[in-house]
Amino acid sequence: MTASHAPVRQSSVRAHNLALVLQTVANSTDRPSRAAIASHTGLTRATVSALVDDLIAGGLLTEHDPAPRTGAGRPAAGLALSAAGPAGLGLEINVDYLAACVVSLTGEVRHQIVQHGDQRPLSAGEALSALDALASQARAAAAAEGLTLAGAALAVPGLVAADGLVRVAPNLGWQDVDVPALLPGLADLPLIVDNEANLAALASAEGEQTFLYVSGEIGIGAGIVLDGELYRGGRGWSGEIGHVTVYPDGRPCRCGANGCLEQYAGQEQVVADAALAASALGIALAAVVNLLDIGVIVLGGAYAPEFDQLRAGIEAELGRRVLTSGLAPVTLRAATLGPDAAMRGAADAVIQSVRDNPAAWLSR
């Protein structure tokens, strides 16, 4: 969520206006000058100048020499996010791999590592201990480049409470796992724990304001974005599309039900029978479209590289089952980030928290 484009006059005015200035620079297509920021935000030039000085001193902005000009007047220096400023540590644990990446304030991936291996035979403590070690490697790489981490975020394929407790992750065999307590190497950093599809959705918007992101791994999750905001549901657990029933008398699922989508369209099922997987996906996606009137569906995770062979089967079911298909066909596309979307979204969540509240970073 971005800062407002109007200044406020209240006790938090400085914090609000710091965010306003930083977001203005972050969202600009060029390098705006102090005067341009003042014009855009409605703040006085003196106020903008003081705020910019604080943001530069805090390592969030850098000032660049202006391009030479031939006209009258002195050209103004431009401002940009600092590539050497605070960075975000994105982590992911999934059924068959662990991953970590470091992303700078400018959105550049500075370090990335993926460690393949089946996590299902491991206890939650064992899997998270291995992830903790991977995070330490990423932190060392960030430090070697002179980057300071603003925090970490972890993407998990399960239902996550606000305090980081994973209530259930069926494909990992987890129930009521206190994730922060099992990551001692991150105890000194602010830590976000969230569902992997939610974080992947935030990284995959590409200008879309309303869309459904579907992450295909061993399990299947979805992130629902409505009017630019992630829809989490009343208890924060929305998006479990993998446990939508597509065949009521079908195969037993790890969750205890029968005929769940992920038993027909999970990563392993796509390899075994892509046509059946596409059909099952189309059935489930049509139900979501009929219910929520979503016009764009983004396929990510393991679905992205298999998009071409899945597309026709999914679109056939959407055309058959979506009530409004003849009026407004659904747009189906592959996620650009593919399998990296969740860990990138995790790192981006950290960076966004700095952009939204630079005052908190400066106070550190």
Side-chain angles (χ1 to χ4, degrees), residues 36-47:
I37 294 171
S39 176
H40 179 78
T41 61
L43 298 170
T44 67
R45 291 195 181 192
T47 298

Side-chain angles (χ1 to χ4, degrees), residues 37-333:
I37 294 171
S39 176
H40 179 78
T41 61
L43 298 170
T44 67
R45 291 195 181 192
T47 298
V48 168
S49 186
L51 294 170
V52 166
D53 287 343
D54 288 344
L55 292 168
I56 291 174
L60 298 176
L61 291 181
T62 57
E63 201 159 29
H64 296 263
D65 292 335
R69 56 185 294 184
T70 57
R74 180 181 177 184
L79 295 160
L81 296 175
S82 173
L89 174 61
L91 303 169
E92 182 182 3
I93 184 165
N94 220 305
V95 174
D96 54 352
Y97 65 89
L98 306 173
C101 70
V102 176
V103 175
S104 72
L105 187 64
T106 61
E108 179 188 5
V109 177
R110 302 290 288 273
H111 180 73
Q112 180 172 313
I113 182 170
V114 178
Q115 181 176 301
H116 294 281
D118 193 345
Q119 307 303 307
R120 286 171 289 192
L122 305 180
S123 68
E126 291 169 333
L128 288 169
S129 178
L131 183 67
D132 208 28
L134 201 69
S136 294
Q137 293 180 40
R139 295 188 70 171
E145 295 189 30
L147 296 174
T148 301
L149 293 178
L154 169 60
V156 180
L159 303 180
V160 185
D163 59 358
L165 180 72
V166 177
R167 298 307 306 268
V168 60
N171 291 310
L172 289 172
W174 293 8
Q175 187 160 356
D176 292 331
V177 175
D178 185 353
V179 169
L182 295 174
L183 291 172
L186 299 176
D188 61 325
L189 290 177
L191 176 63
I192 300 166
V193 184
D194 203 346
N195 176 267
E196 54 92 18
N198 285 342
L199 291 171
L202 294 175
S204 304
E206 297 183 11
E208 300 288 352
Q209 289 294 299
T210 296
F211 66 98
L212 177 72
Y213 175 90
V214 183
S215 175
E217 304 291 349
I218 300 297
I220 305 171
I224 305 166
V225 178
L226 304 176
D227 296 326
E229 298 287 341
L230 189 66
Y231 176 75
R232 295 181 176 275
R235 290 164 294 183
W237 299 336
S238 68
E240 290 298 319
I241 195 172
H243 299 286
V244 168
T245 301
V246 289
Y247 300 114
D249 298 321
R251 302 167 185 168
C253 180
R254 296 178 185 88
C255 73
N258 286 76
C260 291
L261 175 63
E262 70 178 40
Q263 294 305 310
Y264 296 90
Q267 180 178 335
E268 294 168 337
Q269 284 68 42
V270 171
V271 173
D273 190 340
L276 177 59
S279 178
L281 267 171
I283 293 170
L285 293 174
V288 175
V289 174
N290 282 330
L291 183 65
L292 297 179
D293 187 27
I294 287 179
V296 177
I297 298 172
V298 181
L299 298 185
Y303 290 151
E306 305 298 331
F307 180 76
D308 288 342
Q309 68 168 328
L310 294 172
R311 182 174 187 171
I314 295 172
E315 289 182 338
E317 295 293 351
L318 291 173
R320 182 180 302 117
R321 298 173 184 275
V322 173
L323 181 63
T324 57
S325 61
L327 302 173
V330 176
T331 298
L332 193 67
R333 67 173 174 85

